[in-house]
Amino acid sequence: MILSGKKAAGGVATGRIYVHNINFLIPVEHFTGVGEEQSHLDRYLSVKEEAQQELDRIIANIQKEDPDKALIFIAHKEIVDDIIINEEIPSKIMKEHLSGDWAIYHVYDTFLAALRKTSDSHIAERAVDFDDVRAMLLRLWNGKKNEGLSSLQESVIIAAGELLPTDTANMDKNKVLAVITEKGGITSHTAIIAKSFGIPAVFGVEGLLDIVKQGQFAIVDADEGKVILDPDVDTTVEYNKKQEIFLKNRKENEKWLYKKGQTSCGVKIDIGLNIANTDAELEAADFADYAGLFRTEFLFMGRNDLPEEDEQFDVYRKVLECFDGRPVMLRTLDIGGDKKLSSLEFEQEENPFLGNRALRFCFGHPDIFRTQIRAALRASVYGNLWLMFPMVTSLEDIKKAKIFIDEARKDLKKKKAPFGEIKIGIMIEVPSIALIADKAAFEVDFASIGSNDLCQYLCAADRMNSTVEDYYQSYHPAMFSLLSGIVSSFSKAGKPVSICGELGCDEKAVPALIGLGFRKFSMGYATVASVKKAISSVSLEKCEEIAGKVLGCATASEIKEIFASS
Ligand code: PEP
Ligand code: MG
């Protein structure tokens, strides 16, 4: 059987399917039928028992290697057994006739609300544990086993409804052969991470979870957006060959890693690396002229607490030292949208990508923002720090963010903590700032274009939603017209501008972007070699000719044709 979806990250993989079910469903408020109370109570007691057993297994597995982490699960066991909770839930079921799942949800909710209100930060932090335990109980109520991706037993193809960035960030990358999902846009953060690790990914496979089975053998041909279930012998042989060619090409391309980025006529193009702070990414630092996007939010994700200033300082310092004097564009916390933190409560928003995201979130959480800026400033002593703010929409945003930097500097001076000179920049990923790039250029030292978000906001198409993928047109003529305006504004002001979104590693689009005036492109490690190779085969004259044609186009398909024929 062949399933189709969209290529989110290229490549071919063969292996067994691992079905990953995430997130419990929030139960709807409902009551037990007459006389059903006892069976709901019994089911709650058995779910509770299962939870204890699952926690015992986790504790036994990690006790030796990570005793601190084990303590978290020991605390979870205590919550499962909490006396008051275990009076409340049975009473809600037996006396108020609430269904078991709704009683769990509701009772834990009351506790969570009380914990979150307290001013004692240690007590408030416990809310995360209550939240985790509730999710676990509701998952078990729905008959689902634990499917954490950080401790996979063998190499597998992950099949999921949707993967969140936290899942991807936490998963054991060496054991993931490929990822296939029902939902998720091809420029979602999950897709970007998969791509940066060279993991083939196919998104938007309709009805996937109703079709695939745990352990089923499959071939993922991400280049073609195909998933072949239970392939016959001939197909398997054919794909084994394809995989061999894929790996051979990858090896051959690797020699381009060591070369400089330059056009066939010798124009230097800076190639940057997008990183989320993993050692594997940092190993690739030698192949890049700069780090064009350091996604610091991954340091905050997948954990129950916030990283303290010293911990952040250590990480930023490590990255800066690794780039050894080359610029590191450190992006301040870009949370919200599809990226959430377990350590903080996020308000439910109708449109999270248009909501309290990135810089807006930081303005609303000044302590978190200040701590991060202080850590970055302190680390700047060890390298060449270019600090940048995500999701800037106006000059007021820039001015306000700069005040935070000034305050952080004052704080550090008071504490006699050393800090270095830095450059201050912005991400251009919202049309409102893109359209006044000429004014913004005077307020900052540099800019980096987040083409992924820029495209979603420009085309009004959610990057996470595969249903509207056809509307998410990164080749839309409006994109190129906007990009042309940005690069000319920044060039006039004599300030550098880079592209760190996925368009910047699109081999077909890069010549046109060079023709528009861009000289800096930052990308995940997996595309560095192929982009360098593509650039080396075109002259600046050719790039300018392509750019001229692109600017004259009226539709994305015309632009696509130009790229195909160039
Ligand atoms: C972008 O929006 O293009 C970008 C680089 O940031 P992110 O993908 O992390 O939102
Ligand atoms: Mg962005």
Side-chain angles (χ1 to χ4, degrees):
M1 181 176 200
I2 299 182
L3 310 176
S4 43
K6 296 237 163 87
K7 164 184 164 184
V12 174
T14 342
R16 301 220 166 259
I17 299 263
Y18 178 87
V19 180
H20 174 64
N21 282 315
I22 50 158
N23 291 342
F24 63 92
L25 289 173
I26 295 179
V28 265
E29 177 173 3
H30 68 278
F31 297 91
T32 60
V34 181
E36 284 179 350
E37 294 84 358
Q38 190 58 45
S39 71
H40 276 248
L41 180 58
D42 291 346
R43 188 154 156 212
Y44 166 65
L45 295 175
S46 98
V47 157
K48 206 183 117 192
E49 176 83 34
E50 271 184 72
Q52 296 286 20
Q53 288 168 359
E54 192 172 307
L55 287 165
D56 280 338
R57 277 196 300 274
I58 298 175
I59 295 164
N61 278 344
I62 60 173
Q63 187 93 54
K64 253 202 199 138
E65 275 179 26
D66 198 343
D68 284 346
K69 206 165 180 186
L71 287 177
I72 300 174
F73 295 102
I74 291 170
H76 285 191
K77 274 192 77 180
E78 284 164 13
I79 296 171
V80 174
D81 261 345
D82 184 275
I83 298 175
I84 304 178
I85 288 182
N86 284 291
E87 274 171 11
E88 287 281 315
I89 292 178
S91 150
K92 293 273 174 216
I93 297 173
M94 299 306 285
K95 296 195 184 137
E96 295 180 33
H97 315 288
L98 298 192
S99 65
D101 52 349
W102 180 243
I104 296 171
Y105 186 78
H106 182 70
V107 168
Y108 271 83
D109 222 32
T110 319
F111 270 75
L112 279 163
L115 287 172
R116 281 171 180 149
K117 260 192 216 133
T118 157
S119 53
D120 181 327
S121 63
H122 286 294
I123 298 181
E125 272 168 21
R126 295 225 51 196
V128 179
D129 296 321
F130 276 74
D131 218 3
D132 272 1
V133 170
R134 176 172 68 174
M136 181 181 207
L137 292 171
L138 289 171
R139 170 169 59 72
L140 291 167
W141 180 275
N142 289 315
K144 293 182 178 147
K145 297 264 169 265
N146 181 16
E147 288 120 357
L149 294 178
S150 56
S151 52
L152 294 165
Q153 302 300 312
E154 54 185 329
S155 297
V156 286
I157 295 169
I158 309 274
E162 183 180 18
L163 280 187
L164 297 176
T166 333
D167 298 304
T168 335
N170 282 342
M171 74 189 183
D172 181 349
K173 281 118 195 151
N174 300 321
K175 298 254 174 65
V176 179
L177 301 168
V179 173
I180 45 179
T181 67
E182 285 182 356
K183 285 203 218 152
I186 53 173
T187 57
S188 63
H189 287 99
T190 300
I192 292 169
I193 300 167
K195 201 158 150 188
S196 76
F197 286 101
I199 298 173
V202 178
F203 285 5
V205 183
E206 250 176 67
L208 176 70
L209 293 188
D210 294 332
I211 303 166
V212 293
K213 288 184 223 77
Q214 199 73 270
Q216 192 168 16
F217 191 68
I219 292 171
V220 177
D221 182 348
D223 294 326
E224 299 287 328
K226 266 195 319 204
V227 180
I228 308 167
L229 298 175
D230 299 322
D232 56 29
V233 179
D234 290 348
T235 318
T236 310
V237 171
E238 180 196 330
Y239 268 92
N240 282 344
K241 275 192 203 135
K242 266 197 182 175
Q243 198 168 9
E244 242 172 61
I245 296 171
F246 166 72
L247 295 174
K248 196 170 147 227
N249 284 346
R250 193 157 79 180
K251 187 123 203 78
E252 250 168 43
N253 264 355
E254 268 172 16
K255 65 175 190 275
W256 286 93
L257 281 175
Y258 300 89
K259 304 196 177 180
K260 287 273 159 216
Q262 93 180 16
T263 60
S264 62
C265 57
V267 175
K268 171 91 176 72
I269 306 293
D270 287 341
I271 301 296
L273 201 63
N274 291 354
I275 52 175
N277 176 45
T278 66
D279 290 337
E281 288 169 319
L282 292 181
E283 273 170 28
D286 284 352
F287 307 123
D289 299 298
Y290 64 112
L293 174 60
F294 177 9
R295 291 187 160 98
T296 58
E297 55 278 8
F298 284 92
L299 177 60
F300 292 66
M301 289 164 63
R303 56 192 284 173
N304 293 340
D305 58 351
L306 289 166
E308 291 190 356
E309 184 178 319
D310 281 348
E311 182 186 346
Q312 291 189 54
F313 163 77
D314 286 342
V315 173
Y316 304 158
R317 174 181 171 170
K318 180 176 81 179
V319 173
L320 283 159
E321 285 182 337
C322 181
F323 275 83
D324 196 18
R326 285 164 290 158
V328 172
M329 297 178 179
L330 183 152
R331 173 172 78 183
T332 57
L333 189 60
D334 185 16
I335 214 72
D338 58 338
K339 291 179 285 191
K340 299 278 188 295
L341 303 182
S342 331
S343 50
L344 288 177
E345 193 185 354
F346 283 77
E347 253 176 53
Q348 201 71 29
E349 294 179 292
E350 287 284 332
N351 296 298
F353 273 101
L354 299 179
N356 193 15
R357 213 195 138 185
L359 191 56
R360 299 169 182 185
F361 174 89
C362 286
F363 286 155
H365 293 80
D367 289 344
I368 297 177
F369 198 27
R370 279 190 203 110
T371 306
Q372 180 172 41
I373 294 175
R374 275 198 309 271
L377 282 173
R378 281 170 55 202
S380 68
V381 174
Y382 300 91
N384 187 358
L385 176 67
W386 294 28
L387 190 70
M388 67 179 176
F389 303 108
M391 212 191 167
V392 167
T393 56
S394 64
L395 295 194
E396 286 87 345
D397 276 351
I398 302 175
K399 287 177 183 156
K400 201 165 163 186
K402 280 183 176 172
I403 294 175
F404 276 85
I405 299 182
D406 288 343
E407 284 172 0
R409 282 184 176 127
K410 273 186 207 144
D411 262 10
L412 292 175
K413 262 190 199 149
K414 242 193 251 158
K415 290 181 190 151
K416 300 208 168 24
F419 57 91
E421 286 290 312
I422 63 163
K423 290 206 188 299
I424 300 172
I426 51 168
M427 299 257 323
I428 299 189
E429 46 187 355
V430 180
S432 63
I433 199 73
L435 286 163
I436 55 164
D438 54 338
K439 320 261 185 332
F442 287 100
E443 290 293 331
V444 294
D445 300 316
F446 73 99
S448 182
I449 298 174
S451 55
N452 309 330
D453 277 317
L454 188 59
C455 184
Q456 88 163 334
Y457 294 130
L458 191 64
C459 297
D462 183 348
R463 64 193 269 197
M464 299 291 292
N465 184 349
S466 45
T467 316
V468 292
E469 207 142 87
D470 291 344
Y471 295 94
Y472 183 101
Q473 297 183 344
S474 45
Y475 291 170
H476 195 295
M479 274 295 276
F480 288 92
S481 147
L482 209 50
L483 292 171
S484 168
I486 300 169
V487 72
S488 76
S489 294
F490 271 76
S491 305
K492 261 187 219 145
K495 310 267 173 87
V497 58
S498 164
I499 301 186
C500 64
E502 294 302 288
L503 195 63
C505 64
D506 178 338
E507 291 161 36
K508 293 186 213 96
V510 164
L513 297 169
I514 293 175
L516 290 180
F518 288 97
R519 297 290 180 269
K520 282 177 174 295
F521 300 91
S522 189
M523 60 206 70
Y525 164 72
T527 49
V528 169
S530 56
V531 171
K532 282 184 178 174
K533 185 178 172 189
I535 290 173
S536 74
S537 65
V538 280
S539 65
L540 181 60
E541 198 184 346
K542 178 75 182 164
C543 291
E544 285 172 347
E545 182 197 316
I546 300 171
K549 283 190 197 160
V550 164
L551 289 180
C553 287
T555 64
S557 28
E558 282 170 38
I559 294 179
K560 203 169 169 191
E561 260 171 43
I562 289 173
F563 290 165
S565 62
S566 302

